[in-house]
Amino acid sequence: MAWSKLKLDEVTVRRTKLLALRRQGVRYDDERVEALGYSSPNAARRDFTRALEAHRDAEAAEVSIYRQQENERLDDELRRLEDLEAAARTVLRNRHIMVNNGRVILDPDTNEPMLDDAPVLQAIDRLVKIEDARRRNGERRAKLNGLEMPVKAEVTGADGGPLALSTADPDKLAALISATSRLDADQPANSATSTPDDEEDPEG
């Protein structure tokens, strides 16, 4: 049987108060939680879980609507870019003549109208900007829809085989540390082979 609106409102108010108490760190067996009408701490715990699930469902619905709206906006942007590209390519195809103060400028050698390259260059520049806008559109769409997943790297051994791991022999390790210590003792103080760990910490 479906709950009435009054019952749903009561549940919403009780859950809102429970959420507020839990944010303050109030335990489920606290009298303030019991005063909300819960029969037991377990009942309050179960209702708290249901409240969180309902909140997540509401958030998921809002995110879904937001993604849909943003995808539609990005689709509209692509359509506008297509119109701009068509206009720019029309300019590229057309023949442009140089004009000064309303008069066509003629080539002194051929007496033919001189061609104006400025509109062509501007159209090319516009096409480059359109492609850049398309790229940003795609990047935005990929982030919006979670298409950009983290890249996983796998460490392998030689020839792609498993990575070989081994433990050092304690006696050999001690001998190596001892030999290294003797070498460090024989090394001049201003030796170029000193490491950053040998230098005094400026904050120490």
Side-chain angles (χ1 to χ4, degrees):
M1 182 175 173
W3 283 1
S4 66
K5 185 178 185 304
L6 178 60
K7 179 66 173 178
L8 290 173
D9 289 344
E10 290 177 355
V11 170
T12 300
V13 171
R14 184 175 68 245
R15 286 179 176 175
T16 300
K17 292 180 179 179
L18 176 62
L19 289 169
L21 290 174
R22 290 297 295 154
R23 279 197 297 269
Q24 298 170 18
V26 176
R27 295 167 54 91
Y28 291 109
D29 57 0
D30 190 280
E31 60 182 10
R32 286 170 290 179
V33 173
E34 183 180 354
L36 296 178
Y38 293 106
S39 59
S40 68
N42 283 337
R45 184 179 290 104
R46 286 194 299 270
D47 203 37
F48 180 76
T49 301
R50 286 192 291 267
L52 290 181
E53 290 174 349
H55 184 65
R56 283 195 293 268
D57 290 343
E59 282 187 345
E62 290 180 4
V63 169
S64 179
I65 293 172
Y66 170 74
R67 280 183 177 150
Q68 180 180 351
Q69 291 175 340
E70 285 297 296
N71 277 310
E72 291 175 356
R73 185 185 67 80
L74 292 171
D75 289 340
D76 290 339
E77 183 182 51
L78 287 179
R79 283 190 286 270
R80 290 194 301 271
L81 290 174
E82 288 178 0
D83 294 338
L84 289 174
E85 181 182 7
R89 293 195 180 281
T90 299
V91 172
L92 283 177
R93 288 193 296 268
N94 291 340
R95 186 167 177 261
H96 306 281
I97 297 174
M98 295 186 69
V99 178
N100 186 19
N101 293 327
R103 297 180 59 183
V104 176
I105 299 177
L106 303 178
D107 189 314
D109 297 329
T110 64
N111 206 34
E112 293 290 330
M114 295 185 65
L115 298 180
D116 188 359
D117 294 333
V120 175
L121 296 175
Q122 291 173 0
I124 292 173
D125 183 63
R126 181 56 56 87
L127 288 172
V128 171
K129 291 180 180 178
I130 289 172
E131 285 305 311
D132 187 54
R134 279 203 182 102
R135 177 185 57 78
R136 292 196 302 270
N137 183 290
E139 291 175 350
R140 170 63 178 155
R141 194 183 300 271
K143 292 179 181 179
L144 177 67
N145 296 298
L147 300 179
E148 292 187 349
M149 301 300 292
V151 177
K152 293 183 178 180
E154 182 179 357
V155 179
T156 61
D159 300 324
L163 189 65
L165 298 176
S166 62
T167 57
D169 182 274
D171 295 332
K172 291 182 179 179
L173 185 58
L176 180 61
I177 293 174
S178 176
T180 305
S181 300
R182 287 196 300 272
L183 288 175
D184 290 341
D186 296 338
Q187 197 70 243
N190 61 349
S191 171
T193 60
S194 62
T195 65
D197 292 337
D198 298 328
E199 298 174 1
E200 183 179 355
D201 186 352
E203 298 180 359

